[in-house]
Amino acid sequence: MKVSIILASYDSGHFHGGCGQGPDVLIAGGLVEALNLAGHDVAVEDIGKVGDEQEREIATGFAVCNAVAKNVRLACDNGRFPIVLAGNCLTAAGAVAGDTADSIIWIDQHGDLNTPETSAYGFLDGMALATTLGLCWRPMTSAIAGFQAIDPTRCMLVDARDLDPDEKHLLETLPIVRAQCADALVKVGKLKAAGAARTHLHLDLDVHDPEVLQVNRYAQPGGPNPDELRQLACGLARSIPIVGVTLSAYDPAFDPQAEVPPVVGELLVDFLAAFERI
């Protein structure tokens, strides 16, 4: 299978800072070699440094989205399956623009459903899914080439266990499909019934149970272990047409034993094997 790995090495506007170090460490940890060994033709593209010199979070975050959208679109045009390695979850807004997804499965311990009006901390990445669903930052997303907001009826939020009060309230009013890792496959039919035909899979690696695998400072108790998450990803690959993947939020500073890179490699190798069997 022809695969493009697209590196977006930013965290909150900072190039190669915090979780922005994760993409390079995953590559250095043998990801390309693992995929090549599994028989895949892998190309690696790095969006490099984008945004303004002051590294302002909002301006740079959406510049990253635009660069990712262009790289993902080029990969798709060349018959390659796009996998985006990102520091921030907001990058998924660029990925869905590039792969023209009409639906999204968002696997994350957080809801990422705050807006500028509801966010207690003003953390842009806490608005990532809300942005992708067109609930906020619409002038910024309108500048991302090809961006179309995902209808909430075609969104599944998996294992979101750390939610702000306003996110909980919003989830009571939106038709987002809620699921846990254990029952997500059963609920995929709801996305299909809503018209999902081109699904983007977003994996925030901090969804993992931190007692088993800690990937950043934000980890909260609970969540799937690596085997459970890998099995879910493979099941999704067999259950619904997935057109692209983002993986985000790995901060190597919280992984002193370098446990995360081989876990990601095994996940993607098995996911692509399941994907190819469709």
Side-chain angles (χ1 to χ4, degrees):
M1 184 174 180
K2 295 170 70 176
V3 176
S4 278
I5 297 178
I6 297 157
L7 310 183
S9 304
Y10 279 84
D11 185 351
S12 299
H14 301 298
F15 189 48
H16 285 148
C19 293
Q21 301 174 73
D24 282 347
V25 173
L26 292 173
I27 294 296
L31 178 57
V32 174
E33 290 80 2
L35 294 177
N36 283 336
L37 190 61
H40 302 293
D41 174 358
V42 182
V44 179
E45 305 291 339
D46 192 331
I47 69 167
K49 197 163 187 180
V50 299
D52 64 24
E53 291 299 319
Q54 298 177 35
E55 295 188 325
R56 290 175 293 187
E57 182 180 17
I58 297 170
T60 302
F62 284 100
V64 169
C65 288
N66 228 323
V68 165
K70 293 174 183 176
N71 278 267
V72 168
R73 185 174 302 107
L74 183 61
C76 293
D77 288 346
N78 289 331
R80 292 184 170 274
F81 183 82
I83 298 172
V84 179
L85 304 183
N88 287 145
C89 293
L90 181 69
T91 308
V96 301
D99 61 27
T100 62
D102 62 14
S103 47
I104 193 162
I105 297 173
W106 195 275
I107 304 178
D108 195 330
Q109 71 160 335
H110 303 103
D112 292 347
L113 283 167
N114 281 306
T115 68
E117 291 76 23
T118 65
S119 176
Y121 306 104
F123 182 40
L124 183 61
D125 223 38
M127 310 177 204
L129 180 54
T131 301
T132 305
L133 299 180
L135 305 180
C136 59
W137 298 110
R138 286 183 288 272
M140 304 299 285
T141 54
S142 68
I144 302 172
F147 179 82
Q148 295 289 328
I150 302 293
D151 189 306
T153 62
R154 295 196 297 270
C155 171
M156 178 186 287
L157 178 60
V158 182
D159 217 346
R161 58 191 185 271
D162 185 10
L163 299 168
D164 293 340
D166 282 317
E167 290 180 301
K168 292 178 181 178
H169 175 70
L170 185 63
L171 283 168
E172 292 172 357
T173 65
L174 288 176
I176 292 172
V177 179
R178 295 290 306 278
Q180 299 299 312
C181 190
D183 67 357
L185 289 179
V186 177
K187 296 185 177 181
V188 164
K190 294 184 177 182
L191 294 186
K192 292 181 177 180
R198 295 178 56 82
T199 300
H200 186 84
L201 177 61
H202 174 74
L203 294 168
D204 183 323
L205 293 171
D206 72 12
V207 75
H208 284 102
D209 182 350
E211 293 295 322
V212 181
L213 190 75
Q214 182 162 354
V215 303
N216 61 38
R217 72 183 70 191
Y218 305 110
Q220 295 291 321
N225 64 41
D227 287 342
E228 291 167 334
L229 184 61
R230 188 175 69 255
Q231 289 169 14
L232 172 58
C234 292
L236 292 171
R238 292 188 289 263
S239 302
I240 195 166
I242 294 176
V243 294
V245 174
T246 49
L247 289 95
S248 68
Y250 170 44
D251 186 344
F254 292 83
D255 182 29
Q257 302 302 315
E259 296 176 289
V260 173
V263 167
V264 170
E266 189 174 3
L267 184 154
L268 288 176
V269 166
D270 287 358
F271 168 83
L272 291 173
F275 185 89
E276 285 186 302
R277 294 192 192 107
I278 298 175

